[in-house]
Amino acid sequence: MMKNLLICAVFMAMIVTGEALICNSCRVGFKGTCLFASTETCNNSQSKCYKGNLVFNITNMMSLHTRGCLSKDLCNYTEVGSLLTAGYTVTRDCCNTDYCNGATSVQLTLTAALGAVVTAVWSQLTF
């Protein structure tokens, strides 16, 4: 009987641990490139993945991006405010499956992209 109880406890622990949501994380991103990208496991108080976007209203060219875990109370709405008389708009779009908040894009420079192509072609050549 004790053995069955122990097996049930281990099984339940595996299920509860397996339910934690995993999100892409980016504390600060600029122009589609994330600085310090990673992943994070959400806890009970922050149970959703989100993609956030902050745009300064003076110019749409200046925007910051974030990703990570967020409380469901802060999801899927737009917030408007001002910082030192500069107006801004913040949107946070949430989802609830692993990695659903998208991978942060990494932009290669033209030189790096051409270098990768030349290396790939060169490695396929046989003499």
Side-chain angles (χ1 to χ4, degrees):
M1 178 69 174
M2 188 63 157
K3 183 179 177 182
N4 289 341
L5 186 60
L6 182 60
I7 290 172
C8 286
V10 169
F11 182 69
M12 289 300 291
M14 287 175 20
I15 290 174
V16 170
T17 304
E19 289 182 13
L21 186 62
I22 301 171
C23 302
N24 293 302
S25 177
C26 176
R27 294 295 160 220
V28 178
F30 180 70
K31 290 191 174 187
T33 300
C34 181
L35 308 175
F36 314 111
S38 63
T39 59
E40 67 180 293
T41 302
C42 299
N43 58 36
N44 289 337
S45 65
Q46 295 182 322
S47 59
K48 302 282 185 181
C49 292
Y50 83 98
K51 290 188 285 188
N53 190 30
L54 179 140
V55 177
F56 287 97
N57 299 338
I58 293 173
T59 173
N60 287 337
M61 294 174 61
M62 177 63 177
S63 64
L64 301 174
H65 310 281
T66 61
R67 297 173 195 270
C69 297
L70 189 67
S71 169
K72 66 180 178 180
D73 299 335
L74 299 174
C75 287
N76 300 325
Y77 77 93
T78 300
E79 177 183 330
V80 178
S82 64
L83 177 66
L84 301 175
T85 69
Y88 65 85
T89 303
V90 176
T91 56
R92 294 180 193 99
D93 297 318
C94 295
C95 53
N96 56 1
T97 59
D98 287 344
Y99 306 108
C100 62
N101 59 342
T104 55
S105 64
V106 177
Q107 297 176 349
L108 292 175
T109 63
L110 182 59
T111 304
L114 288 174
V117 169
V118 167
T119 302
V121 169
W122 187 263
S123 67
Q124 296 300 315
L125 294 175
T126 56
F127 292 99

